[in-house]
Structures are given as structure tokens and as C-alpha cells.
Amino acid sequence: MNYKLVFKSAILSGEIMLRNGAETYRVEDTINRILKTTNFQVIESFVTPTGIFATLDDPSIEMITYVKRVDKRTIHLSKVTLTNDVSRKYCTNQLTIEEAYEKLLEIKDKPAYSNLLVIIATGLAAGFFTIVFSGRFNDFIISTIIGSTLGLVDILFKKLNIYKFFYDIVGGCIIALVAILFTKFIHFGSNFDLIIIGSIMPLVPGVAFTNAIRDTIEGNLLSGISRGVEALIVAAAIATGVGVVLKLYYLLSGGGLL
Amino acid sequence: MIIQVVGAFFATLFFCIIFNISRKQLLFCGINGAIGWLVYLLTLNMNSIVLSTFLGALVVSIISHILSKIRKTPVTVYLIAGIIPLVPGAILYKAIYNIVIQDYDMSSFYGIQSIELACAIAVAIFLVASVTKSSRRTK
């Protein structure tokens, strides 16, 4: 058996999952399951949101240890699903390790939805959330415009390699600015609050929050805490962005116009 | 109310595109989000947002676990999608807004409420996950 390839596949699948928004315990579970197919004595993996550590040891081989730092994290859940599939198939002997490794490499380079589609989706998500919170049709249109702008800025910032937290602050500013522009100056939308609430939703750290809880339940306390802090900081950044613009407008308009 | 639930369906669906969930799952994720919001709205007249959010999140988690068993997909995919409408974005905004107009009583009220809501969602996910986990062990 090519145990080195098994080890490499395990690390690769762990890396793909961690990079694309899987919970930490799921990553550990996947790595362990793949490593277990070697039937070696010592199988250990430790995963945090920023890195993977794994060890394989047996009397018959030299001990292998691997440390993989994972710095950039995005959310691409279909990659998580696909990797899960491959590891499930490999562990039930439906795939050989060579095929599995091949498939993992394919998944790693799998393209996301196109930029244009993401921009439109962000817009419509914001728009429909305004409807969910009982907004009117005019509000829907404005939120869609704001959301699309957010999607555009997000893609731009990712290309320029700007910190995620800065995007959240800028995003908050954009939401408040455009909402004020439309409702107070153009007098198009009727409900200022609902537009902002709907448009905030694409920024709200839902994934970090859900994963923080699920990691904590599974006993991965370190990951739970770090993801929880991530969610908190994102929330604070959005609040800062929206708050600063609102405050400025409040002061400039003499306090009466909000 | 129907409009709101349909809105929740589409909002969740488009959210899934942002998260790059594969095409096959989009419909299920959307339905999950809509059902969560429906439960939230139906229980809202019991006069407690926290309880409604809890129940909504509970139903969403149960559905997510069932879906993930049937469709052999990680729970996260459905769970994240379904929870999104319930995440307290609106309350967070109200907390900020009240800081801006210097009504600190209201802002701390909403601030604490958003923490309560987050905890309610957390406990709901926690409960369902614990139950499914123990049933997995006993098999």
C-alpha cells in the first residue's frame, strides 16, 4: 500500500475542507477516517481554523508528521460536499487511493460560480431579505442595488488582497451611504431601516457563527472560541461601518432627519 | 405572511449561491430557510422573539439533519443556509442605530437581545446535534 499517498490525500482533503468553510471537527474526522485505512498504529490529527497537524506512525515505517498552515479561507461549500463524497467512497473501497487523490486535485481547482452571478445573487439576497422583513417593492430595488455593490466590492477587495475586516467596515459604510442617498435625497424608498437591515444580511457572519457552535459541541474548544471571536469582530466591523456613516449624517443634518 | 415566506425562500437560495453551494442542493436549502422563517412567523404572536427564533432554529436543525442523512451531504450545507434568515441582523442594526441617536438604554436593550437570539440559535443547534450524535453512537 502506498501509505505516503494516503497521507498526502488525507492532508489535501483536510486542506480543501478547511479552506472552504467546513467545521474543524469534520476536517479532523475526515483526515482520521482516510488515515485509518492504512491500519497503522498511531493516527493523530489536530486541526485549528488556521492549520492542520497530522501524524502517522507504525513499527513498519518511519514516523511521518505534517504541518499545513491554512491562511486564506473562503466559503465554497460545494467543495466541502465533494471532498466528503470522495473520502466516503474511498473509505468504503469504491475508489482506489490513486483515483481519490486525482479527484481531490480536481476538486481543489473546481471553479466557483461566476463573478457576475455572485454579484447578482448578493444583490437579490439583500433585496429579498428586505421583503422578508416586510419591506415594499421600492425598498427591494434599493436593497438589490446596495447588495450588488457589496458583491462587486467584495470581489474587487479579494483581487486586491485586502483584509476581510476592512471589507466589512467599508461594506457597512456603503450600505448606510446608499440607503441615505436613496431615501433622504432621491425620496425613492419608503423604509430606511428595512433597507439597511436587509442589506446587512449578506455581511452578517452566519457561517462563522454556526461553525463556532458546532465546533464547540464536538469538543473542539480552541476552534470554537476562535471562530466565535471571528464572528464577533465581523459584527463589530459592520456596526462600525454603518454607525460611522449614520452618525455623520445625523450630525450634518442637525439631528432631526434620521 | 406568504410574501415573507416566499421572500425567505429566495433570499436563502441566493445566499447559497454566494456560499457556492452546488446547484443540486440550492432548492433544498431555500425550502429549509423558508420553513425556518415560517415557524418563526407562526410562533411570533406568543410574544417572545427569543422563543420564536429558538423554535425556528430547532426546526431548521432537525430538517438539516434529516436532509443530510437522506442526501448524504454534510449537515453544514443545509444548516448554514437555513439559519441565515434567523441570524439577528435586524436587532444588531437597531443596537447601532440607538447608539447613534444616543439612546443608550435602547441600544443596550437591543444589544442584549441580539446576544440572547444568538444563544437561542446556538442552543437549538446544540440540542439537535447532541441527540443525533448520541443516536449515532448507540447504533
Side-chain angles (χ1 to χ4, degrees):
Chain A
M1 165 177 260
N2 190 347
Y3 64 86
K4 272 209 163 154
L5 192 61
V6 175
F7 193 72
K8 256 168 95 179
S9 311
I11 296 292
L12 182 63
S13 58
E15 190 196 339
I16 295 173
M17 292 178 104
L18 195 58
R19 258 183 215 286
N20 293 297
E23 314 96 299
T24 315
Y25 83 87
R26 185 182 302 284
V27 179
E28 278 180 5
D29 191 48
T30 308
I31 293 178
N32 287 344
R33 270 168 205 261
I34 296 179
L35 289 183
K36 253 185 204 138
T37 57
T38 58
N39 290 322
F40 285 169
Q41 268 179 11
V42 179
I43 288 162
E44 208 70 64
S45 70
F46 176 66
V47 178
T48 73
T50 48
I52 299 171
F53 312 82
T55 289
L56 195 61
D57 192 23
D58 197 66
S60 62
I61 59 162
E62 293 270 315
M63 185 194 273
I64 327 175
T65 299
Y66 198 99
V67 179
K68 178 80 200 166
R69 176 100 167 93
V70 174
D71 43 4
K72 259 194 201 143
R73 273 165 294 133
T74 55
I75 298 165
H76 193 142
L77 291 174
S78 67
K79 282 189 185 176
V80 176
T81 315
L82 289 171
T83 313
N84 213 48
D85 268 358
V86 170
S87 82
R88 198 194 300 266
K89 276 188 185 144
Y90 168 65
C91 292
T92 52
N93 289 323
Q94 292 174 41
L95 281 176
T96 66
I97 189 62
E98 284 83 11
E99 285 167 349
Y101 190 69
E102 203 62 28
K103 282 224 162 132
L104 286 174
L105 285 178
E106 250 171 57
I107 294 170
K108 199 181 178 195
D109 298 323
K110 193 176 176 289
Y113 285 115
S114 72
N115 283 348
L116 184 68
L117 188 61
V118 171
I119 291 171
I120 295 171
T122 318
L124 288 173
F128 276 110
F129 267 119
T130 310
I131 300 273
V132 169
F133 299 120
S134 70
R136 286 159 192 279
F137 186 64
N138 285 353
D139 308 330
F140 169 79
I141 293 175
I142 299 171
S143 298
T144 308
I145 295 170
I146 299 177
S148 312
T149 321
L150 288 179
L152 193 70
V153 173
D154 186 22
I155 288 165
L156 198 71
F157 274 32
K158 267 182 197 151
K159 282 228 168 84
L160 296 173
N161 243 335
I162 295 173
Y163 283 113
K164 172 89 174 48
F165 298 124
F166 188 60
Y167 162 68
D168 292 317
I169 297 177
V170 172
C173 290
I174 292 173
I175 292 171
L177 270 178
V178 181
I180 289 173
L181 182 76
F182 271 101
T183 49
K184 308 293 179 192
F185 293 105
I186 304 179
H187 294 291
F188 182 60
S190 42
N191 218 322
F192 180 70
D193 289 353
L194 291 180
I195 295 171
I196 291 193
I197 293 171
S199 313
I200 279 181
M201 295 306 282
L203 297 178
V204 166
V207 179
F209 176 69
T210 325
N211 282 349
I213 301 165
R214 292 186 54 80
D215 273 337
T216 313
I217 300 168
E218 296 286 333
N220 262 321
L221 300 179
L222 190 63
S223 311
I225 291 171
S226 40
R227 285 191 204 270
V229 171
E230 186 188 354
L232 266 183
I233 293 177
V234 171
I238 302 169
T240 310
V242 176
V244 163
V245 173
L246 282 186
K247 184 86 195 173
L248 273 177
Y249 179 72
Y250 183 70
L251 291 175
L252 288 176
S253 67
L257 275 167
L258 262 178
Chain B
M1 195 169 95
I2 296 168
I3 299 175
Q4 286 192 38
V5 174
V6 174
F9 170 77
F10 281 109
T12 316
L13 197 138
F14 286 114
F15 234 97
C16 296
I17 297 181
I18 305 176
F19 291 155
N20 279 301
I21 293 173
S22 64
R23 280 195 183 81
K24 283 176 279 177
Q25 320 287 359
L26 285 181
L27 195 65
F28 293 93
C29 294
I31 292 172
N32 200 7
I35 292 177
W37 192 250
L38 181 69
V39 172
Y40 172 82
L41 287 178
L42 286 177
T43 53
L44 203 56
N45 53 13
M46 291 181 349
N47 227 345
S48 160
I49 307 182
V50 179
L51 184 65
S52 307
T53 306
F54 172 76
L55 290 174
L58 197 68
V59 172
V60 165
S61 327
I62 294 170
I63 296 175
S64 307
H65 277 92
I66 295 171
L67 275 177
S68 92
K69 272 271 144 46
I70 297 173
R71 295 177 56 81
K72 295 212 176 352
T73 309
V75 196
T76 340
V77 173
Y78 303 112
L79 201 57
I80 287 174
I83 292 294
I84 284 291
L86 298 168
V87 169
I91 314 288
L92 185 71
Y93 162 72
K94 284 181 187 157
I96 311 165
Y97 175 78
N98 281 294
I99 290 177
V100 170
I101 61 168
Q102 294 179 337
D103 187 342
Y104 296 111
D105 287 346
M106 281 318 272
S107 97
S108 52
F109 170 74
Y110 284 122
I112 291 169
Q113 196 174 48
S114 68
I115 294 171
E116 273 182 282
L117 292 179
C119 291
I121 298 175
V123 172
I125 299 176
F126 196 97
L127 268 179
V128 178
S130 316
V131 171
T132 52
K133 200 180 170 191
S134 62
S135 71
R136 214 188 309 153
R137 288 264 161 79
T138 50
K139 258 175 205 167

